[in-house]
Amino acid sequence: MNLTESNLYEELRRFLQDHQVTKNETQIEQHSHDESYHKASSPDLVVFPESTDEVSAVVKVANAYKTPVVPYGLGTSLEGHVIPYQHGITIDFSQMSKVLEVREKDFLVKVQPGVTRSQLNKELKKYGLFFSVDPGADATLGGMAATNASGTTSVRYGVMRDQVRDLEVVLAEGEVIHTGNLAQKSSSGYNLNSLFVGSEGTLGCITELTLKVYGIPEHVVAARASFRSVDDAVEAVVSILQAGVPIARVELVDEPSMKQANLFSETNYKEQPTLFLEFHGNEPGLNHDVEFTKEIVKDHHCEAIYFEDDNAARNRLWEARHNLAYAYVHGNPGKKLMVTDVCVPISELAGAIKHAREQVNELNLNGGILGHVGDGNYHILLMMDMDDPEEVKKAEQLNEQIVEYALQRGGTCTGEHGVGFGKMKYQHKEHGQALQVMEKIKLALDQREILNPYKLVHQKRNSL
Amino acid sequence: MNLTESNLYEELRRFLQDHQVTKNETQIEQHSHDESYHKASSPDLVVFPESTDEVSAVVKVANAYKTPVVPYGLGTSLEGHVIPYQHGITIDFSQMSKVLEVREKDFLVKVQPGVTRSQLNKELKKYGLFFSVDPGADATLGGMAATNASGTTSVRYGVMRDQVRDLEVVLAEGEVIHTGNLAQKSSSGYNLNSLFVGSEGTLGCITELTLKVYGIPEHVVAARASFRSVDDAVEAVVSILQAGVPIARVELVDEPSMKQANLFSETNYKEQPTLFLEFHGNEPGLNHDVEFTKEIVKDHHCEAIYFEDDNAARNRLWEARHNLAYAYVHGNPGKKLMVTDVCVPISELAGAIKHAREQVNELNLNGGILGHVGDGNYHILLMMDMDDPEEVKKAEQLNEQIVEYALQRGGTCTGEHGVGFGKMKYQHKEHGQALQVMEKIKLALDQREILNPYKLVHQKRNSL
């Protein structure tokens, strides 16, 4: 069939209501970008399905017309995942945002993809439960599964992939499948859960998620520890992990980032390289862990450690940490955010961060370093003037050097943000022949290449 | 090319030495079965490669001749995974059994597929580390990855899939890929690690594994708790999990199985439904957990709880548990072992085990129930007289009823043993349309269907 925008619209209107299909300019603009520096590109249409059946019907039409389909949560992605470079239909999941079922006894919850993590946690609190993955942004759970998001708590509870028990997915021809089941473990068939988590909409659209949740810990203590140098802070983290302390969060914030945090969050934390820590457990066990950690950080020249065990101070601390990206954006009006996202084996972390700082200084860029150092994952936050081609070039050069360094040491080009458009160019270098396996899978499941094309993996890579 | 056995042999001898290719009758027989009741079938040849290059060369020959290839570890599988129903070449990995690297700081170890878990743990002990997955049998790590094995500790540390950081795999045309990297987390590309773990040799042959290991816990306590009924024991486990006690092991052994254990292991444990428990942690935290657990089991009519905190008593306890399958085999000479392996959501576990016991009694079969109840995974062990078609029929009927019950409640037909040949008939019922996705992946990666054919998934399912 030949696509004309008007007959595509009419096809969709056969089963969607007027307010569910739009070409409204504001909506088109809103769905043309994410939170990154990547170039915007507009969808032809945005649809707002309210059920799996409607998503399936949309995808069937798209397949018939060979029109690209891009699933969209809240647009908080950082590598251009939701930008429709081939135009077509953007499926906005904001009208599928119900918490469908809380299975308290099974520590499971069933949600629609448009539910955000804070919405879910508000609901779960009633049951004494919480959802662990915490990427900072209040992203949708569909989006978080699509990119295999993680964040501050993954050192203890794992990443998004570890929480997904089952997904309902609409495939390229509109078929609806389930990728898992409700049992805690299974060796039945290929593990489709983990294949679809992190597939960034290139294999199907997630329409329902069953996720693992946890009991709110009996006791929680948070702490801030200031160090003379980033090196000391990182070495302290390595020692804490070595010692087997089951730390729940351990975040590094460097000196420039502490300044941004104080400015934005109106805190008055010491402006030194800082670890933000959190401990979960029963009281006696946790006290033991805390004492042990105090000794370890002292061995690494920690200059001061403050504990916050009341809720309000703890929330303030984590809010300051979470708002850091926004603090940078807010403090640099007109500029665009680029965030590097490599992850290295923990034994390589101190060297990697040192190398990163040297590169930032050498290129005369202005960037803060922070990260989920317990996982070996760190970010450089750069605010770029997109009208200054020199600055953009230097920032891209930095990103390349950082990735190259990580790959040479057994690391990955993206620890948690995903590939999207921005990390596609590193896929061959990172995966070698395995990239062909990914391409074969993509082609087997999406023969007409309508699902989020030119993202993650595609046949003509580097041709854009 | 047309296959004749002799030119296949000669092709292989071009790069393998005499002792690496065999048609020796004893060897052929040994590689014709696993530890289950499934019917034996002989390979044409067994090869013993010593390197990835040799495996790749073997697979290339097999592909050229369109000859089936079955990877073989130690043959401890329970669903006929390694039985070459289409004959062809069995690749025995016993000559690839080196621990290649221990990355202490990264809690990673790199091994060849023929290394067994006890061999690995012996090596790791020198570093104060241990490998967590513990399926009972001293299986090879390649085999454990191929079936996504788990066992007594997965309630705390996760299953095999959770431990695999990277695999080296030889694909159907002899290409060698890596499925992951050394970083703790990655959102780069499709997650091939989890796809190949549990693929049972149908997508490729694993030639190297990088696995997560753990620090030996500071403090360990084991316990046995006897209950009036299986129901009480199961409900106690549900309450322990609800209470958030981070239990490291919690195993149910029913009354007939306790009798078998005492007979085989020369123990004199109480012959009542029993939970075998283990706690890992720092001393004060663990004491708190133990006290809490004592209260919980008391609420569930526990009649006695014994703690073993010295190493020897603890080892005796776990040996008795691990030897249970062998105890049944040993106690029933001439009979063959059938083990059911469903896993259900924990809220359904008490009902499922009750239903299982009723079915066993109703069919007048002689079977013990035991399992990893913290995961919702339990087994019925049946010793079958394969010459008694009536008994075999009843056992198969039981298995079907058990699976049916589990599937209706969101469970899975196999929690940890895998699909192999025995669970293939349940795949359509369990996965529905998702089975077609698996079939597409299989076909995309193994076009000539040489890799462990007629296992897990195949185009003409149920045709055997």
Side-chain angles (χ1 to χ4, degrees), chain A residues 105-106 147-148 150 161 182 185-188 190-191 194 202 242 282 285 289 346-347 377 410 412 414 416 427 430-431, chain B residues 105-106 147-148 150 161 182 185-188 190-191 194 202 242 282 285 289 346-347 377 410 412 414 416 427 430-431:
Chain A
K105 255 192 163 181
D106 294 317
T147 53
N148 186 32
S150 50
R161 184 170 282 124
L182 304 185
K185 57 186 211 187
S186 174
S187 285
S188 181
Y190 299 146
N191 190 263
S194 292
T202 64
Q242 293 284 307
N282 68 41
D289 290 337
I346 197 87
S347 63
N377 180 211
T412 175
T414 169
E416 55 180 17
Q427 292 299 291
E430 177 162 343
H431 300 293
Chain B
K105 255 193 163 179
D106 293 318
T147 52
N148 187 33
S150 50
R161 184 169 283 127
L182 305 183
K185 56 186 211 186
S186 175
S187 285
S188 182
Y190 299 145
N191 191 262
S194 293
T202 64
Q242 292 285 306
N282 67 43
D289 290 337
I346 198 84
S347 63
N377 180 210
T412 175
T414 170
E416 55 181 16
Q427 293 297 291
E430 177 163 345
H431 300 294

Short mmCIF file of all heavy atoms in Angstrom, two decimals, chain A residues 105-106 147-148 150 161 182 185-188 190-191 194 202 242 282 285 289 346-347 377 410 412 414 416 427 430-431, chain B residues 105-106 147-148 150 161 182 185-188 190-191 194 202 242 282 285 289 346-347 377 410 412 414 416 427 430-431:
data_model
loop_
_atom_site.label_atom_id
_atom_site.label_comp_id
_atom_site.label_asym_id
_atom_site.label_seq_id
_atom_site.Cartn_x
_atom_site.Cartn_y
_atom_site.Cartn_z
N LYS A 105 1.26 -11.16 48.46
CA LYS A 105 1.93 -12.37 48.94
C LYS A 105 3.06 -12.79 48.01
O LYS A 105 4.02 -13.42 48.42
CB LYS A 105 0.91 -13.51 49.01
CG LYS A 105 0.46 -13.86 50.42
CD LYS A 105 -0.30 -15.18 50.39
CE LYS A 105 -0.43 -15.80 51.76
NZ LYS A 105 -1.13 -17.09 51.74
N ASP A 106 2.89 -12.48 46.70
CA ASP A 106 3.89 -12.89 45.71
C ASP A 106 4.94 -11.82 45.45
O ASP A 106 5.81 -12.01 44.61
CB ASP A 106 3.19 -13.24 44.39
CG ASP A 106 2.31 -14.47 44.52
OD1 ASP A 106 2.77 -15.44 45.16
OD2 ASP A 106 1.17 -14.46 44.02
N THR A 147 14.34 0.38 28.05
CA THR A 147 15.77 0.74 28.02
C THR A 147 16.59 -0.03 29.05
O THR A 147 17.77 0.23 29.19
CB THR A 147 15.97 2.23 28.30
OG1 THR A 147 15.29 2.57 29.52
CG2 THR A 147 15.43 3.09 27.18
N ASN A 148 15.97 -0.94 29.79
CA ASN A 148 16.65 -1.61 30.91
C ASN A 148 17.28 -0.57 31.84
O ASN A 148 18.48 -0.58 32.10
CB ASN A 148 17.71 -2.59 30.42
CG ASN A 148 18.33 -3.39 31.57
OD1 ASN A 148 17.64 -3.68 32.56
ND2 ASN A 148 19.59 -3.73 31.48
N SER A 150 18.24 1.62 35.21
CA SER A 150 18.59 1.24 36.58
C SER A 150 18.74 2.51 37.39
O SER A 150 17.89 3.39 37.30
CB SER A 150 19.81 0.33 36.63
OG SER A 150 20.88 0.82 35.89
N ARG A 161 15.86 -5.18 34.31
CA ARG A 161 15.74 -6.56 33.79
C ARG A 161 15.53 -7.58 34.92
O ARG A 161 14.82 -8.57 34.72
CB ARG A 161 17.00 -6.89 32.99
CG ARG A 161 16.96 -8.25 32.32
CD ARG A 161 18.12 -8.42 31.35
NE ARG A 161 17.88 -7.73 30.10
CZ ARG A 161 18.68 -6.81 29.56
NH1 ARG A 161 19.81 -6.47 30.15
NH2 ARG A 161 18.36 -6.23 28.42
N LEU A 182 4.34 -15.94 36.19
CA LEU A 182 4.36 -15.34 37.52
C LEU A 182 5.26 -16.09 38.51
O LEU A 182 5.39 -15.69 39.67
CB LEU A 182 2.94 -15.28 38.09
CG LEU A 182 1.91 -14.55 37.23
CD1 LEU A 182 0.58 -14.47 37.96
CD2 LEU A 182 2.39 -13.15 36.87
N LYS A 185 11.01 -18.47 39.27
CA LYS A 185 12.04 -18.91 38.34
C LYS A 185 11.45 -19.85 37.32
O LYS A 185 10.42 -20.47 37.56
CB LYS A 185 13.22 -19.53 39.09
CG LYS A 185 12.85 -20.69 39.97
CD LYS A 185 14.04 -21.17 40.78
CE LYS A 185 13.90 -22.66 41.03
NZ LYS A 185 14.90 -23.22 41.93
N SER A 186 12.10 -19.92 36.17
CA SER A 186 11.62 -20.79 35.10
C SER A 186 12.78 -21.12 34.18
O SER A 186 13.63 -20.29 33.90
CB SER A 186 10.53 -20.06 34.31
OG SER A 186 10.14 -20.84 33.19
N SER A 187 12.82 -22.38 33.74
CA SER A 187 13.79 -22.78 32.72
C SER A 187 13.05 -23.25 31.48
O SER A 187 13.53 -24.09 30.73
CB SER A 187 14.69 -23.89 33.25
OG SER A 187 15.64 -23.38 34.16
N SER A 188 11.87 -22.67 31.25
CA SER A 188 11.02 -23.11 30.15
C SER A 188 11.14 -22.21 28.93
O SER A 188 10.72 -21.06 28.95
CB SER A 188 9.56 -23.10 30.65
OG SER A 188 8.71 -23.55 29.63
N TYR A 190 13.11 -20.19 25.56
CA TYR A 190 14.07 -19.09 25.55
C TYR A 190 13.57 -17.97 26.45
O TYR A 190 12.37 -17.72 26.52
CB TYR A 190 14.27 -18.56 24.13
CG TYR A 190 14.80 -19.58 23.15
CD1 TYR A 190 14.39 -19.56 21.82
CD2 TYR A 190 15.72 -20.55 23.54
CE1 TYR A 190 14.88 -20.49 20.91
CE2 TYR A 190 16.20 -21.48 22.63
CZ TYR A 190 15.78 -21.45 21.33
OH TYR A 190 16.26 -22.37 20.44
N ASN A 191 14.48 -17.30 27.11
CA ASN A 191 14.11 -16.24 28.03
C ASN A 191 13.73 -14.96 27.28
O ASN A 191 14.57 -14.09 27.05
CB ASN A 191 15.27 -15.98 28.99
CG ASN A 191 14.84 -15.07 30.12
OD1 ASN A 191 15.07 -13.87 30.07
ND2 ASN A 191 14.17 -15.61 31.10
N SER A 194 14.07 -11.19 29.14
CA SER A 194 15.32 -10.42 29.10
C SER A 194 15.64 -9.93 27.71
O SER A 194 16.39 -8.97 27.56
CB SER A 194 16.47 -11.28 29.62
OG SER A 194 16.30 -11.52 30.99
N THR A 202 12.22 -1.87 19.55
CA THR A 202 12.60 -2.35 18.22
C THR A 202 12.08 -3.75 17.93
O THR A 202 12.18 -4.23 16.80
CB THR A 202 14.13 -2.37 18.03
OG1 THR A 202 14.69 -3.32 18.95
CG2 THR A 202 14.74 -0.99 18.29
N GLN A 242 34.21 -5.03 48.64
CA GLN A 242 35.10 -6.14 48.98
C GLN A 242 34.76 -6.74 50.33
O GLN A 242 34.85 -7.94 50.54
CB GLN A 242 36.56 -5.64 49.07
CG GLN A 242 37.15 -5.18 47.77
CD GLN A 242 37.53 -6.32 46.89
OE1 GLN A 242 38.25 -7.21 47.32
NE2 GLN A 242 37.04 -6.36 45.67
N ASN A 282 17.85 -5.13 59.02
CA ASN A 282 17.32 -5.10 60.38
C ASN A 282 18.29 -4.27 61.23
O ASN A 282 19.46 -4.09 60.88
CB ASN A 282 17.08 -6.51 60.92
CG ASN A 282 18.34 -7.32 61.16
OD1 ASN A 282 19.35 -6.82 61.65
ND2 ASN A 282 18.29 -8.60 60.78
N GLY A 285 21.86 -5.70 62.43
CA GLY A 285 22.72 -6.00 61.29
C GLY A 285 23.20 -4.72 60.62
O GLY A 285 24.36 -4.58 60.25
N ASP A 289 26.90 -3.00 59.93
CA ASP A 289 27.35 -2.56 58.60
C ASP A 289 27.82 -1.11 58.64
O ASP A 289 28.83 -0.74 58.01
CB ASP A 289 26.20 -2.67 57.57
CG ASP A 289 25.84 -4.11 57.25
OD1 ASP A 289 26.69 -5.00 57.44
OD2 ASP A 289 24.70 -4.35 56.80
N ILE A 346 34.51 -3.15 38.31
CA ILE A 346 34.78 -2.29 39.46
C ILE A 346 36.29 -2.08 39.67
O ILE A 346 36.73 -1.00 40.08
CB ILE A 346 34.07 -2.85 40.73
CG1 ILE A 346 33.97 -1.78 41.81
CG2 ILE A 346 34.71 -4.10 41.24
CD1 ILE A 346 32.76 -0.92 41.69
N SER A 347 37.10 -3.08 39.31
CA SER A 347 38.56 -2.95 39.48
C SER A 347 39.13 -1.88 38.56
O SER A 347 40.25 -1.41 38.75
CB SER A 347 39.25 -4.29 39.19
OG SER A 347 39.04 -4.66 37.84
N ASN A 377 29.47 2.15 37.23
CA ASN A 377 28.79 2.98 36.22
C ASN A 377 28.91 4.45 36.63
O ASN A 377 28.54 4.80 37.73
CB ASN A 377 27.32 2.56 36.19
CG ASN A 377 26.46 3.31 35.19
OD1 ASN A 377 25.27 3.50 35.42
ND2 ASN A 377 27.01 3.74 34.08
N GLY A 410 36.88 -4.24 29.09
CA GLY A 410 35.80 -5.18 29.35
C GLY A 410 34.49 -4.53 29.75
O GLY A 410 33.58 -5.20 30.22
N THR A 412 31.21 -1.50 28.97
CA THR A 412 30.14 -1.33 27.99
C THR A 412 29.92 0.15 27.72
O THR A 412 30.19 0.99 28.60
CB THR A 412 28.84 -1.99 28.50
OG1 THR A 412 27.78 -1.71 27.59
CG2 THR A 412 28.43 -1.44 29.87
N THR A 414 27.16 1.66 27.39
CA THR A 414 26.03 2.20 28.15
C THR A 414 25.62 1.28 29.28
O THR A 414 25.23 0.13 29.07
CB THR A 414 24.81 2.53 27.24
OG1 THR A 414 23.69 2.81 28.09
CG2 THR A 414 24.46 1.42 26.28
N GLU A 416 23.20 2.11 31.56
CA GLU A 416 21.78 2.17 31.92
C GLU A 416 20.92 3.04 31.01
O GLU A 416 19.70 2.94 31.06
CB GLU A 416 21.62 2.65 33.36
CG GLU A 416 22.30 3.99 33.63
CD GLU A 416 22.14 4.45 35.08
OE1 GLU A 416 21.79 3.63 35.93
OE2 GLU A 416 22.36 5.66 35.34
N GLN A 427 28.08 0.07 18.61
CA GLN A 427 27.59 -1.31 18.76
C GLN A 427 28.50 -2.34 18.10
O GLN A 427 28.75 -3.40 18.66
CB GLN A 427 26.15 -1.44 18.21
CG GLN A 427 25.12 -0.68 19.03
CD GLN A 427 25.04 -1.20 20.46
OE1 GLN A 427 24.58 -2.30 20.72
NE2 GLN A 427 25.53 -0.40 21.39
N GLU A 430 31.59 -2.77 20.21
CA GLU A 430 31.34 -3.47 21.48
C GLU A 430 30.99 -4.94 21.28
O GLU A 430 31.45 -5.79 22.03
CB GLU A 430 30.22 -2.78 22.27
CG GLU A 430 29.90 -3.53 23.56
CD GLU A 430 29.13 -2.72 24.60
OE1 GLU A 430 29.08 -1.48 24.51
OE2 GLU A 430 28.58 -3.35 25.52
N HIS A 431 30.15 -5.23 20.31
CA HIS A 431 29.61 -6.60 20.23
C HIS A 431 30.27 -7.48 19.17
O HIS A 431 30.06 -8.69 19.19
CB HIS A 431 28.10 -6.54 19.99
CG HIS A 431 27.35 -5.83 21.07
ND1 HIS A 431 27.27 -6.32 22.34
CD2 HIS A 431 26.69 -4.65 21.08
CE1 HIS A 431 26.57 -5.48 23.10
NE2 HIS A 431 26.20 -4.45 22.36
N LYS B 105 38.78 -8.78 42.70
CA LYS B 105 38.22 -7.46 42.98
C LYS B 105 36.86 -7.28 42.31
O LYS B 105 36.02 -6.51 42.76
CB LYS B 105 39.17 -6.38 42.44
CG LYS B 105 39.98 -5.67 43.51
CD LYS B 105 40.62 -4.43 42.90
CE LYS B 105 41.09 -3.46 43.97
NZ LYS B 105 41.75 -2.27 43.37
N ASP B 106 36.68 -7.95 41.17
CA ASP B 106 35.44 -7.80 40.41
C ASP B 106 34.40 -8.87 40.75
O ASP B 106 33.32 -8.87 40.17
CB ASP B 106 35.73 -7.88 38.90
CG ASP B 106 36.56 -6.70 38.44
OD1 ASP B 106 36.27 -5.58 38.88
OD2 ASP B 106 37.50 -6.90 37.65
N THR B 147 21.05 -25.06 30.80
CA THR B 147 19.69 -25.36 31.27
C THR B 147 19.14 -24.30 32.24
O THR B 147 18.06 -24.47 32.77
CB THR B 147 19.64 -26.71 32.01
OG1 THR B 147 20.65 -26.71 33.03
CG2 THR B 147 19.89 -27.88 31.08
N ASN B 148 19.93 -23.25 32.50
CA ASN B 148 19.55 -22.27 33.53
C ASN B 148 19.24 -22.99 34.84
O ASN B 148 18.16 -22.85 35.42
CB ASN B 148 18.34 -21.43 33.09
CG ASN B 148 18.05 -20.30 34.08
OD1 ASN B 148 18.96 -19.76 34.70
ND2 ASN B 148 16.78 -19.98 34.26
N SER B 150 19.36 -24.10 38.82
CA SER B 150 19.39 -23.33 40.06
C SER B 150 19.52 -24.31 41.22
O SER B 150 20.37 -25.20 41.15
CB SER B 150 18.20 -22.40 40.19
OG SER B 150 16.98 -23.03 39.96
N ARG B 161 21.11 -17.91 35.41
CA ARG B 161 21.02 -16.75 34.51
C ARG B 161 21.49 -15.47 35.21
O ARG B 161 22.08 -14.59 34.57
CB ARG B 161 19.57 -16.60 34.04
CG ARG B 161 19.36 -15.49 33.03
CD ARG B 161 17.97 -15.57 32.41
NE ARG B 161 17.91 -16.61 31.40
CZ ARG B 161 17.02 -17.58 31.37
NH1 ARG B 161 16.08 -17.66 32.30
NH2 ARG B 161 17.04 -18.48 30.41
N LEU B 182 32.24 -7.53 30.92
CA LEU B 182 32.62 -7.73 32.32
C LEU B 182 31.99 -6.71 33.27
O LEU B 182 32.22 -6.76 34.48
CB LEU B 182 34.13 -7.69 32.46
CG LEU B 182 34.92 -8.68 31.58
CD1 LEU B 182 36.40 -8.59 31.89
CD2 LEU B 182 34.42 -10.10 31.78
N LYS B 185 26.60 -3.98 34.89
CA LYS B 185 25.33 -3.79 34.20
C LYS B 185 25.57 -3.20 32.83
O LYS B 185 26.61 -2.57 32.58
CB LYS B 185 24.38 -2.93 35.04
CG LYS B 185 24.94 -1.58 35.42
CD LYS B 185 24.00 -0.85 36.36
CE LYS B 185 24.15 0.65 36.11
NZ LYS B 185 23.42 1.48 37.05
N SER B 186 24.63 -3.41 31.93
CA SER B 186 24.76 -2.92 30.57
C SER B 186 23.39 -2.80 29.95
O SER B 186 22.53 -3.64 30.16
CB SER B 186 25.62 -3.89 29.75
OG SER B 186 25.65 -3.47 28.40
N SER B 187 23.17 -1.71 29.21
CA SER B 187 21.94 -1.58 28.43
C SER B 187 22.28 -1.51 26.95
O SER B 187 21.59 -0.88 26.16
CB SER B 187 21.17 -0.32 28.86
OG SER B 187 20.55 -0.53 30.11
N SER B 188 23.37 -2.18 26.58
CA SER B 188 23.88 -2.10 25.22
C SER B 188 23.44 -3.30 24.38
O SER B 188 23.92 -4.42 24.60
CB SER B 188 25.40 -2.03 25.26
OG SER B 188 25.94 -1.89 23.97
N TYR B 190 20.71 -6.08 22.40
CA TYR B 190 19.83 -7.10 22.97
C TYR B 190 20.61 -7.95 23.96
O TYR B 190 21.79 -8.23 23.77
CB TYR B 190 19.26 -8.00 21.87
CG TYR B 190 18.44 -7.29 20.84
CD1 TYR B 190 18.45 -7.70 19.51
CD2 TYR B 190 17.62 -6.21 21.17
CE1 TYR B 190 17.69 -7.05 18.55
CE2 TYR B 190 16.86 -5.55 20.22
CZ TYR B 190 16.90 -5.98 18.91
OH TYR B 190 16.16 -5.34 17.96
N ASN B 191 19.94 -8.39 25.00
CA ASN B 191 20.59 -9.16 26.05
C ASN B 191 20.79 -10.61 25.62
O ASN B 191 19.97 -11.48 25.89
CB ASN B 191 19.75 -9.10 27.33
CG ASN B 191 20.51 -9.66 28.51
OD1 ASN B 191 20.34 -10.80 28.88
ND2 ASN B 191 21.41 -8.87 29.07
N SER B 194 21.15 -13.69 28.49
CA SER B 194 19.97 -14.38 29.01
C SER B 194 19.29 -15.22 27.96
O SER B 194 18.56 -16.16 28.29
CB SER B 194 18.98 -13.37 29.57
OG SER B 194 19.52 -12.76 30.71
N THR B 202 20.63 -25.39 21.76
CA THR B 202 19.87 -25.28 20.50
C THR B 202 20.24 -24.03 19.70
O THR B 202 19.82 -23.89 18.56
CB THR B 202 18.35 -25.26 20.76
OG1 THR B 202 18.03 -24.07 21.49
CG2 THR B 202 17.90 -26.49 21.54
N GLN B 242 7.45 -13.28 53.71
CA GLN B 242 6.63 -12.09 53.95
C GLN B 242 7.30 -11.15 54.94
O GLN B 242 7.23 -9.94 54.83
CB GLN B 242 5.28 -12.50 54.58
CG GLN B 242 4.36 -13.26 53.67
CD GLN B 242 3.71 -12.37 52.66
OE1 GLN B 242 3.11 -11.40 53.01
NE2 GLN B 242 3.88 -12.69 51.39
N ASN B 282 26.04 -10.91 58.69
CA ASN B 282 26.92 -10.59 59.81
C ASN B 282 26.26 -11.11 61.09
O ASN B 282 25.04 -11.33 61.12
CB ASN B 282 27.25 -9.09 59.86
CG ASN B 282 26.07 -8.20 60.17
OD1 ASN B 282 25.25 -8.49 61.05
ND2 ASN B 282 25.97 -7.09 59.46
N GLY B 285 23.12 -9.25 62.79
CA GLY B 285 21.96 -9.24 61.88
C GLY B 285 21.36 -10.63 61.77
O GLY B 285 20.14 -10.82 61.79
N ASP B 289 17.70 -12.34 62.64
CA ASP B 289 16.91 -13.11 61.66
C ASP B 289 16.51 -14.47 62.24
O ASP B 289 15.38 -14.94 62.04
CB ASP B 289 17.72 -13.35 60.37
CG ASP B 289 17.91 -12.07 59.58
OD1 ASP B 289 17.11 -11.13 59.76
OD2 ASP B 289 18.88 -12.01 58.79
N ILE B 346 4.39 -17.98 44.84
CA ILE B 346 4.47 -18.48 46.22
C ILE B 346 3.09 -18.56 46.89
O ILE B 346 2.83 -19.46 47.68
CB ILE B 346 5.47 -17.61 47.04
CG1 ILE B 346 5.93 -18.32 48.30
CG2 ILE B 346 4.95 -16.25 47.33
CD1 ILE B 346 7.05 -19.26 48.09
N SER B 347 2.18 -17.66 46.50
CA SER B 347 0.83 -17.68 47.09
C SER B 347 0.07 -18.95 46.72
O SER B 347 -0.93 -19.28 47.33
CB SER B 347 0.04 -16.45 46.64
OG SER B 347 -0.16 -16.48 45.24
N ASN B 377 9.15 -23.57 43.96
CA ASN B 377 9.55 -24.68 43.08
C ASN B 377 9.62 -25.96 43.90
O ASN B 377 10.28 -26.00 44.92
CB ASN B 377 10.95 -24.34 42.52
CG ASN B 377 11.54 -25.38 41.57
OD1 ASN B 377 12.75 -25.52 41.51
ND2 ASN B 377 10.72 -26.10 40.82
N GLY B 410 -0.48 -19.42 36.72
CA GLY B 410 0.60 -18.49 36.39
C GLY B 410 1.99 -19.06 36.60
O GLY B 410 2.97 -18.32 36.60
N THR B 412 5.03 -22.33 35.82
CA THR B 412 5.80 -22.80 34.67
C THR B 412 5.99 -24.31 34.77
O THR B 412 6.03 -24.86 35.88
CB THR B 412 7.17 -22.09 34.60
OG1 THR B 412 7.95 -22.65 33.54
CG2 THR B 412 7.97 -22.25 35.90
N THR B 414 8.62 -25.96 34.13
CA THR B 414 9.94 -26.31 34.66
C THR B 414 10.60 -25.13 35.34
O THR B 414 10.88 -24.10 34.71
CB THR B 414 10.86 -26.92 33.58
OG1 THR B 414 12.20 -27.01 34.12
CG2 THR B 414 10.89 -26.13 32.30
N GLU B 416 13.61 -25.38 36.99
CA GLU B 416 15.07 -25.39 36.93
C GLU B 416 15.68 -26.52 36.11
O GLU B 416 16.85 -26.48 35.79
CB GLU B 416 15.65 -25.47 38.36
CG GLU B 416 15.12 -26.66 39.18
CD GLU B 416 15.69 -26.69 40.60
OE1 GLU B 416 16.22 -25.67 41.04
OE2 GLU B 416 15.59 -27.75 41.25
N GLN B 427 5.23 -26.85 25.86
CA GLN B 427 5.69 -25.52 25.48
C GLN B 427 4.59 -24.68 24.83
O GLN B 427 4.45 -23.49 25.12
CB GLN B 427 6.92 -25.60 24.55
CG GLN B 427 8.15 -26.15 25.25
CD GLN B 427 8.61 -25.25 26.38
OE1 GLN B 427 9.08 -24.15 26.17
NE2 GLN B 427 8.43 -25.72 27.61
N GLU B 430 2.19 -23.55 27.51
CA GLU B 430 2.75 -22.55 28.42
C GLU B 430 2.98 -21.20 27.74
O GLU B 430 2.68 -20.16 28.31
CB GLU B 430 4.08 -23.04 29.03
CG GLU B 430 4.71 -21.96 29.91
CD GLU B 430 5.78 -22.46 30.87
OE1 GLU B 430 5.88 -23.67 31.10
OE2 GLU B 430 6.51 -21.61 31.40
N HIS B 431 3.50 -21.22 26.52
CA HIS B 431 3.93 -19.96 25.92
C HIS B 431 2.98 -19.38 24.88
O HIS B 431 3.12 -18.22 24.51
CB HIS B 431 5.32 -20.13 25.29
CG HIS B 431 6.37 -20.55 26.27
ND1 HIS B 431 6.78 -19.73 27.30
CD2 HIS B 431 7.08 -21.70 26.42
CE1 HIS B 431 7.69 -20.36 28.02
NE2 HIS B 431 7.89 -21.55 27.52
#
